[in-house]
Amino acid sequence: MPAGSQLYNILVSFTAGVGGFCFGWEIGVIGQVLGMPDFVSTFNAGDTATQSWIASVFQFGCAASAFAFAYLADIIGRKRSIMFAGLAFAIGGAMQSGSSQLAVLIIGRIISGFAIGAASTTVPMYLAECAPAQNRGSVTVIYQLMITAGILIAGSINAGIIGSDLQNNSTGWRLALGLQIVPALLLLGLMFSVPFSPRWLVRKGRNDEALETIAKLRALPKDHPEVRDEYDLIIEDFRLEQSVGDAGWGEVFKGSNGRRVFIGVMNQAMQQLTGINVITYFQPQLYAIIGFSATLSTQVLPVVFDFANFIFTFIGMFTIDRFGRKFLLTWGGVVMALGLAMTYGFGKATQSGAGSALAYISYVGIIVFDLGFSSTWGPVVWSYQAEIFPMRIRSKGVALSTMSNWLVGAIITWAEPYLARDLGINVYIIYFCFCALAVPWSFFFVPETRGKTLEELGEVFGDKVAHLDHQAAGDLSAK
């Protein structure tokens, strides 16, 4: 790939990836804010029910938005959808930071959730549609990398706030929640500088603009064979799909498309059922259960975890196109299960008075779990769902998969404070079982997609249109 193409693709990927940073900021900020004394007293949030709703209502907003953008992503485009996400996240952050009543806080969190639902649906899809086939996985993993960067920076700032006098007055939590406006406005502004997805442009009949965009993304002239081949393949794919009419919801669930939806929905549900968001949202509570001091639980250990989370994502970025999606998901399940087994086993031992040193081994188990998640199930699931659906149902398929993530995540986040109260560290047996289940699921049911164009992936799933499309593209190349 020409150096100019690499530089421009990095710019495009980083810009769209700021949507992931906003998501990460939310994850990194809310768990610690829930424990700030002034926040608890202002919103009377000391009880389990209130904390459950404050944490989970954001994800219900995400789920609703994911469904809405099944339509809007096709109508207004991926680029404008991401811009909307930036604007809405800024509004939601301002409402949360400025609120003094629980109702206003909840509405702000729903709006922020609606923003991140839009971003999580459209950013991976936009990245997949702009990236070249040979490194599409690495490019789309940038979304997950930016999520982990947001978690790390937000968590570090929060740790500083908790370690100061700011946590004892409203300045602390208002600052923590209000700073999310900065990446939100950055996302909105930067998106003006990147192109529309070439595949969306073709859907809208803007073929000349699509050709120019492909040429710019590849840093090659418009008449270069590589540019023409990619453009012709997209055009033929769209024409053949249009020949059988517009895609309705019924088509989404039929035949090979139904198989895609099932895999996408299950992957996203399984990602949440590993327990990742529970661990990330409620880190201080987990560490307290294991037996760590308040300072370690709220200021030190969360930042170490967040840093490891960020670093481990690079492993996924550099291996997804080398070893493939199936391999990473399968081995990721093994590593995550091992990590949670360590967390539970040694954490249980510390509660039985076996010695405080075992608490650190239990914490190492959490880091091992994160190694398995951040290098595999974290990035690969988002990349995979963005690439497996044909263009005619891509928005709907991605939206359904993303809704699965948010709905399952919302339910788990809502239930976790109750489960932690009643089961304590035993709750991690549940997440261990799902991590173990991820191994046979990935090995037997997830097809490999590495190295194929978005149009060629139809052959992996047995699409009749895909075979015709591939043959037509071959005929064009021969001519």
Side-chain angles (χ1 to χ4, degrees), residues 374-451:
S374 297
S375 60
T376 62
W377 275 86
V380 174
V381 168
W382 292 107
S383 176
Y384 195 82
Q385 76 162 26
E387 65 188 4
I388 62 174
F389 297 101
M391 184 162 58
R392 59 188 280 104
I393 67 158
R394 185 167 297 143
S395 294
K396 293 182 176 67
V398 169
L400 287 171
S401 302
T402 305
M403 280 181 63
S404 170
N405 180 291
W406 292 121
L407 284 174
V408 174
I411 293 169
I412 294 174
T413 303
W414 176 84
E416 173 58 23
Y418 296 99
L419 294 172
R421 180 192 65 190
D422 297 337
L423 299 178
I425 200 168
N426 295 320
V427 70
Y428 289 92
I429 298 176
I430 300 173
Y431 304 128
F432 164 82
C433 292
F434 281 110
C435 289
L437 184 62
V439 177
W441 162 257
S442 304
F443 186 80
F444 291 109
F445 296 102
V446 178
E448 184 54 66
T449 59
R450 176 173 53 125

Side-chain angles (χ1 to χ4, degrees), residues 25-325:
W25 189 282
E26 152 62 26
I27 295 175
V29 76
I30 191 61
Q32 291 165 307
V33 165
L34 286 172
M36 293 184 182
D38 189 81
F39 180 88
V40 172
S41 61
T42 299
F43 298 106
N44 193 25
D47 61 290
T48 300
T50 303
Q51 291 205 356
S52 294
W53 281 113
I54 291 174
S56 63
V57 72
F58 167 86
Q59 292 175 311
F60 285 114
C62 291
S65 177
F67 180 78
F69 278 85
Y71 299 96
L72 292 175
D74 282 340
I75 296 172
I76 67 175
R78 289 69 160 127
K79 175 179 176 177
R80 294 193 187 103
S81 297
I82 299 170
M83 295 173 74
F84 165 83
L87 178 61
F89 197 64
I91 293 172
M95 290 186 66
Q96 292 177 69
S97 179
S99 62
S100 296
Q101 296 180 336
L102 182 61
V104 178
L105 176 73
I106 293 295
I107 293 172
R109 288 192 57 71
I110 292 173
I111 293 174
S112 291
F114 204 83
I116 298 306
S120 62
T121 299
T122 54
V123 169
M125 185 162 50
Y126 175 81
L127 293 174
E129 291 183 349
C130 290
Q134 64 268 26
N135 65 348
R136 184 179 60 248
S138 300
V139 170
T140 51
V141 166
I142 288 176
Y143 175 70
Q144 179 68 21
L145 179 67
M146 294 295 283
I147 291 175
T148 61
I151 294 172
L152 173 60
I153 293 176
S156 299
I157 291 173
N158 267 5
I161 292 173
I162 292 173
S164 70
D165 292 335
L166 291 177
Q167 72 156 333
N168 296 317
N169 57 64
S170 66
T171 303
W173 63 265
R174 292 187 191 279
L175 179 65
L177 293 173
L179 282 174
Q180 65 186 285
I181 298 172
V182 176
L185 294 180
L186 179 66
L187 174 63
L188 177 62
L190 286 175
M191 284 304 297
F192 283 101
S193 66
V194 300
F196 290 97
S197 157
R199 289 166 172 84
W200 180 79
L201 290 170
V202 167
R203 287 185 64 88
K204 295 301 178 181
R206 296 159 62 174
N207 294 2
D208 291 341
E209 190 176 346
L211 179 60
E212 292 175 2
T213 299
I214 294 170
K216 188 172 184 180
L217 287 168
R218 307 296 173 254
L220 295 169
K222 288 191 293 184
D223 58 355
H224 192 280
E226 289 185 21
V227 173
R228 292 301 311 189
D229 285 349
E230 183 174 353
Y231 172 76
D232 290 340
L233 191 60
I234 295 171
I235 293 292
E236 283 302 310
D237 181 71
F238 178 66
R239 287 176 178 170
L240 288 166
E241 288 183 348
Q242 287 298 104
S243 69
V244 294
D246 294 331
W249 280 103
E251 181 180 341
V252 173
F253 299 100
K254 291 180 180 178
S256 59
N257 288 337
R259 181 188 175 198
R260 287 180 171 96
V261 169
F262 179 70
I263 293 172
V265 166
M266 285 296 296
N267 277 350
Q268 287 285 14
M270 193 74 73
Q271 187 195 69
Q272 287 293 327
L273 290 168
T274 63
I276 181 61
N277 273 4
V278 167
I279 292 174
T280 308
Y281 274 139
F282 300 108
Q283 284 187 72
Q285 294 89 328
L286 169 60
Y287 303 145
I289 290 173
I290 293 173
F292 288 106
S293 67
T295 300
L296 286 174
S297 297
T298 59
Q299 298 177 50
V300 180
L301 299 181
V303 175
V304 174
F305 176 89
D306 295 343
F307 181 74
N309 192 29
F310 176 69
I311 295 300
F312 291 155
T313 305
F314 283 98
I315 299 175
M317 177 179 293
F318 293 122
T319 58
I320 187 171
D321 288 318
R322 176 183 292 271
F323 297 112
R325 286 64 162 156

